[in-house]
Amino acid sequence: MERILVIIKPDGVERGLIGEIISRYEKKGLNIVECKMIKADREILEKHYIEHKGKFFYEDLITYMMRGKVLVMILEGNNVIQLIRKMHGSTNPLDAEVGTIRGDFANRKTENIVHASDSKESAEREIAIWFS
Ligand code: CMP
C-alpha cells in the first residue's frame, strides 16, 4: 500500500474547487485517509519546500501558500503516487493535458491549484511535516 500527501493550494480553495478535485479522486477509487484544512505558516512551508530554497520563485511560492487556507490530505492505495500525479498534470500549465486538474483549471506555474508528493520518500517526508 502506497501513501501520498496532496495539498489543495489557496487558489484551489479560493476558487471553490475542493469539491471538484475530491470528487475526481473519489471517482478514480482513491482513498482519502486523513484530511485537514489549515492556514500554513512560514515554518511548515519552509520545511515542505526546502528543495526549492534559493530558486527564483521561492519567495513568491511561500507568500502564495500563506495567503489563505489549504486542504491537506493523505491518500492511500496501489500506485497512488503515479495515479495522482497523472490526474494533476504537469506543473507548467502550458504542458498540462486537458482533462487533468492543472490542464483544466491552472494558467500559471506557481498558482497551480494542487501539490502532490513525487516519490515514496517525499511522501513520507511530507506526511511527517504536515501530520506529525
Ligand atoms: P508544487 O507541486 O507545489 O511544487 C513546487 C512548486 O513550486 C510548484 O508546485 C509550483 O507551485 C512552484 N513552481 C515550480 N516551478 C516553478 C517555476 N518555474 N516558476 C514558478 N513557480 C514554480
Side-chain angles (χ1 to χ4, degrees):
M1 215 36 116
E2 201 171 85
R3 301 199 295 170
I4 187 169
L5 184 101
V6 168
I7 304 175
I8 302 183
K9 298 181 176 184
D11 53 332
V13 175
E14 286 158 12
R15 290 171 57 191
L17 293 172
I18 291 175
E20 165 77 33
I21 293 167
I22 288 183
S23 157
R24 289 183 182 213
Y25 300 154
E26 287 179 331
K27 285 179 195 157
K28 190 76 177 167
L30 303 175
N31 285 329
I32 299 170
V33 293
E34 296 278 355
C35 184
K36 66 179 177 186
M37 184 112 178
I38 63 164
K39 189 132 184 332
D41 60 19
R42 192 168 184 105
E43 193 186 339
I44 198 165
L45 291 166
E46 284 189 347
K47 283 186 197 157
H48 178 80
Y49 282 127
I50 189 133
E51 68 183 290
H52 297 297
K53 199 169 170 78
K55 293 187 182 164
F56 72 92
F57 57 83
Y58 179 76
E59 279 306 323
D60 284 348
L61 176 60
I62 299 289
T63 305
Y64 147 61
M65 289 295 289
M66 287 195 301
R67 83 167 182 225
K69 287 191 172 174
V70 294
L71 192 79
V72 194
M73 289 171 267
I74 302 172
L75 286 88
E76 202 173 78
N78 288 326
N79 303 312
V80 72
I81 296 177
Q82 246 184 304
L83 287 169
I84 287 277
R85 292 185 66 80
K86 234 180 183 166
M87 291 173 77
H88 283 189
S90 299
T91 303
N92 184 346
L94 292 176
D95 297 329
E97 301 284 342
V98 170
T100 64
I101 290 169
R102 289 171 178 154
D104 290 348
F105 304 118
N107 57 40
R108 297 185 209 172
K109 273 189 193 165
T110 296
E111 297 195 20
N112 62 358
I113 318 275
V114 277
H115 165 82
S117 321
D118 60 7
S119 65
K120 286 184 189 186
E121 294 69 33
S122 65
E124 292 313 315
R125 187 187 75 83
E126 292 172 3
I127 287 169
I129 292 171
W130 292 90
F131 288 92
S132 59

